[in-house]
Amino acid sequence: MKQSTLSEVKSAVTPRATLLVIGVVALQLLFVVSYVGALHEPRLKDVAFGVVAPPAAAGQTVQRLDELPGSPLDPRALPDEAAARKQIENRDIDGALVVRPDGATDTLLVASGSGRTLTVALDALTGEVLGAQGRTARVVDVAPASSQDFNGLSSFYLVVGLCVGGYLCASILAISAGARPANPTRAATRLGTMLLVALAGGLGGAIIVGPVLGALPGSVWALWGLGALIVFAVGAATLALQGLFGVIGIGLAILLVVILGNPSAGGAFPAPMLPPFWEAIGPALPPGAGTWAARSITYFDGNSMTSSLLVLSAWAVAGVAVTMLAAVLRQRRAAEPDSPREAS
């Protein structure tokens, strides 16, 4: 009896299962490394920052801010407060200091719609700098986050949910009849199904965060379109990875979207507060591009969305192309007389 049980255990622990378990452990450790590495010590670094001051003092103020230890700000002189507000609304800068030479209180312009954490950090930094000069700053929020959008995080959570739906749905579609698409027809069917799921998921997400919960005040139609693009981009990319690598593609999708994408998305901490590696990769991954675009729709009248939409579109187009190409190549290999037939 014991020998039979031992034999069953040995037969269950196949080399394939062993490799998959090792892969899961690796993903687990990478998850810890990525999230803790990105979020354990947030600090300002080269934040785009405007300075409005009289001509005689503007250059000196910019230089003083530029020489702060650790280079937290990337300051530039602006002609007036209206220009500073316009650049914040266009998402060209993250904040601005308007110097009031006729008094001891200056004005700090911020946009909590980009993430309240960044607003708090800029307030603390400028308060410290001005305090050393015996001055203070009055904070003015140019693009305030909704009172029902705690810390400006609802956009990020919306995008995370949409991304999860994208790769989970694609994974289910692919493994339901084999980890690799058997032929172009099956691949096209899965992509078509993914499109329908994206439209439904995008609409549902927009309705939930808008009319149902009132968390985000942006256009439901715009959020629907963005949500559908996010779900389809992630789903198509996941199908492509599975078409190339089989079930391992699911792990690669999790690596890109969850392990690398979520902590670098600018959700918990906006991009200027992330370490260089995560700040660099965030805009190129679906969670980062989606979070930026969702915040633009919600709080910045859709400004500065082009690059994010191009990134998401590139993921979608590349996912479709690679999925179909992998299916065509697999069909050709299966049709070769000397090649072994793959199970469908």
Side-chain angles (χ1 to χ4, degrees), residues 181 183-184 187-188 190-191 235-241 243-244 318-328:
N183 52 55
R190 291 172 180 171
L191 287 168
T238 303
L239 288 173
L241 290 170
L244 292 174
V320 170
V322 173
T323 298
M324 294 304 300
L325 179 60
V328 169

Side-chain angles (χ1 to χ4, degrees), residues 330-344:
R330 184 170 186 266
Q331 185 180 54
R332 288 180 180 176
R333 287 197 302 269
E336 292 175 1
D338 297 331
S339 67
R341 296 269 177 180
E342 297 184 52
S344 61

Side-chain angles (χ1 to χ4, degrees), residues 9-338:
V9 171
K10 287 182 177 180
S11 64
V13 185
T14 62
R16 177 183 173 85
T18 301
L19 289 175
L20 289 176
V21 170
I22 292 173
V24 169
V25 173
L27 285 176
Q28 169 186 303
L29 297 178
L30 286 172
F31 188 100
V32 175
V33 169
S34 185
Y35 277 70
V36 177
L39 307 176
H40 78 288
E41 192 180 9
R43 61 178 65 181
L44 298 175
K45 181 67 176 178
D46 294 327
V47 177
F49 193 75
V51 175
V52 178
Q60 184 180 7
T61 304
V62 169
Q63 182 178 1
R64 185 185 306 115
L65 295 176
D66 192 38
E67 293 175 351
L68 290 174
S71 187
L73 301 178
D74 178 18
R76 70 286 308 270
L78 298 176
D80 51 41
E81 182 174 344
R85 286 175 175 268
K86 187 66 175 177
Q87 289 203 20
I88 292 174
E89 292 168 355
N90 289 338
R91 309 198 74 179
D92 296 323
I93 60 176
D94 295 298
L97 179 66
V98 181
V99 178
R100 309 290 187 186
D102 53 346
T105 302
D106 299 325
T107 300
L108 174 64
L109 303 178
V110 296
S112 61
S114 292
R116 203 178 302 275
T117 308
L118 179 59
T119 297
V120 172
L122 287 175
D123 186 19
L125 177 65
T126 54
E128 182 180 339
V129 172
L130 293 175
Q133 306 169 25
R135 302 182 65 83
T136 59
R138 179 176 65 94
V139 178
V140 175
D141 202 338
V142 176
S146 166
S147 60
Q148 300 181 63
D149 180 12
F150 178 73
N151 278 353
L153 290 174
S154 296
S155 299
F156 170 62
Y157 292 138
L158 169 65
V159 172
V160 168
L162 295 171
C163 287
V164 169
Y167 72 73
L168 283 182
C169 182
S171 300
I172 292 170
L173 288 172
I175 66 177
S176 61
R180 295 175 186 270
N183 52 55
T185 300
R186 179 181 294 169
T189 300
R190 291 172 180 171
L191 287 168
T193 303
M194 199 66 244
L195 178 59
L196 295 176
V197 170
L199 290 171
L203 177 60
I207 291 175
I208 289 171
V209 300
V212 174
L213 297 179
L216 297 179
S219 165
V220 171
W221 299 106
L223 288 174
W224 178 17
L226 174 65
L229 178 58
I230 292 170
V231 175
F232 186 76
V234 173
T238 303
L239 288 173
L241 290 170
Q242 290 171 326
L244 292 174
F245 304 107
V247 70
I248 296 174
I250 298 175
L252 294 176
I254 293 173
L255 174 65
L256 288 171
V257 177
V258 179
I259 294 176
L260 293 177
N262 286 353
S264 65
F269 299 111
M273 300 184 70
L274 296 175
F277 172 75
W278 285 270
E279 182 182 7
I281 66 172
L285 297 174
T291 299
W292 179 275
R295 283 174 169 164
S296 289
I297 290 172
T298 303
Y299 296 119
F300 297 93
D301 296 324
N303 294 327
S304 190
M305 285 179 55
T306 302
S307 60
S308 296
L309 294 180
L310 287 175
V311 166
L312 292 169
S313 299
W315 279 89
V317 171
V320 170
V322 173
T323 298
M324 294 304 300
L325 179 60
V328 169
L329 293 177
R330 184 170 186 266
Q331 185 180 54
R332 288 180 180 176
R333 287 197 302 269
E336 292 175 1
D338 297 331

